[in-house]
């Protein structure tokens, strides 16, 4: 995939909670998972092992700050972390707060839904505040 | 989940490629995904943010060495990384080499299968050798 055709290189309508020179953190506003966040590398890179160890560490630090923010604000039963990128091979981490009454629990959110799940809402301002307090800008 | 009831605290028939004081790396021998590996923390801990920053870094280092090993040995189209743990809340990372002709590509392996996929085989000895050369024992 060329950078020109990549939707993460040419983002549209992202709800950005944090942005710096290396990465951005967005809330996806998924219908079933309002707390679903993504940590997206700004550069078009495919795999974690294409990054330097320092870059990997910084990207993971951001992922873990988002996990911490979601735990602090939403108190999920579990947090799911995933870097897949089969459709869009541009590094992005899914950070998904999971609840026992959500649409797929305890299955992954990519499995068939088990029920019309409860969508747990979250306040952007609280996430933004937590992230800004715990993540140092690049 | 108590440790006594946890299948990752009481493992059975694991195909272990690497083991040290902190973690073990196994090959799952999944029918559709013979290269599917897991990096499992030995201790019963639920979330990455329950670990210290040093522990997180070490666990991720192991995940990235496995990604590198799978890339070197199998040349997948993409590597998928995920820490879910909704069913077994004991930290374990899925490291899954993906191919354009596998059962689910480009969907996640947890989605409904798209086809009777090609199962790409891998030689344990080559993975073991790569991991041993790149990972320092804890």
């Amino acid at each position: 995939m060329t950078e020109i055709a990549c939707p993460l290189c040419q983002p549209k309508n992202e709800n950005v909670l944090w942005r710096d020179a290396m990465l951005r953190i967005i809330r996806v506003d998924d219908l079933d998972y309002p707390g679903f966040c993504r940590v997206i590398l700004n550069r078009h890179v495919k795999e974690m092992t294409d990054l330097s160890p320092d870059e990997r560490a910084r990207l993971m630090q951001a992922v873990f700050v988002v996990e911490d923010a979601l735990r602090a604000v939403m108190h999920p039963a579990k947090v799911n972390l995933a870097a897949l990128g089969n459709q869009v091979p541009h590094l992005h981490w899914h950070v998904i707060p999971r609840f026992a009454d959500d649409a797929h629990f305890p299955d992954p959110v990519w499995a068939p839904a088990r029920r019309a799940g409860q969508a747990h809402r979250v306040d952007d301002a609280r996430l933004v505040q937590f992230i800004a307090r715990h993540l140092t800008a690049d």
Side-chain angles (χ1 to χ4, degrees), chain A:
Chain A
M1 184 174 289
T2 63
E3 294 182 34
I4 287 162
C6 173
L8 296 183
C9 287
Q10 307 286 343
K12 279 190 191 126
N13 303 319
E14 288 182 342
N15 177 15
V16 178
L17 306 179
W18 167 277
R19 186 195 303 272
D20 64 33
M22 183 186 185
L23 58 87
R24 59 196 189 270
I25 298 168
I26 70 169
R27 189 168 67 74
V28 178
D29 213 13
D30 183 279
L31 208 65
D32 284 324
Y33 298 96
F36 193 145
C37 291
R38 274 193 202 114
V39 181
I40 304 168
L41 190 76
N42 293 333
R43 250 164 71 219
H44 189 86
V45 174
K46 188 162 120 179
E47 304 280 15
M48 287 301 289
T49 46
D50 291 328
L51 296 179
S52 73
D54 279 357
E55 289 174 313
R56 279 178 222 168
R58 172 96 209 307
L59 184 54
M60 293 316 299
Q61 187 207 7
V63 170
F64 299 140
V65 166
V66 174
E67 174 178 299
D68 241 351
L70 292 171
R71 292 181 77 182
V73 173
M74 299 187 75
H75 307 287
K78 188 71 191 66
V79 177
N80 292 172
L81 306 177
L84 307 178
N86 306 318
Q87 316 225 18
V88 182
H90 172 139
L91 272 173
H92 58 284
W93 279 87
H94 306 290
V95 186
I96 315 166
R98 301 298 308 276
F99 298 88
D101 60 358
D102 72 31
H104 302 79
F105 201 88
D107 295 328
V109 301
W110 302 283
R114 283 188 180 234
R115 63 189 75 85
Q118 188 65 38
H120 294 256
R121 313 237 144 256
V122 61
D123 179 18
D124 277 348
R126 293 186 64 194
L127 292 178
V128 166
Q129 191 177 40
F130 188 101
I131 294 167
R133 209 164 46 221
H134 292 85
L135 193 56
T136 308
D138 186 49

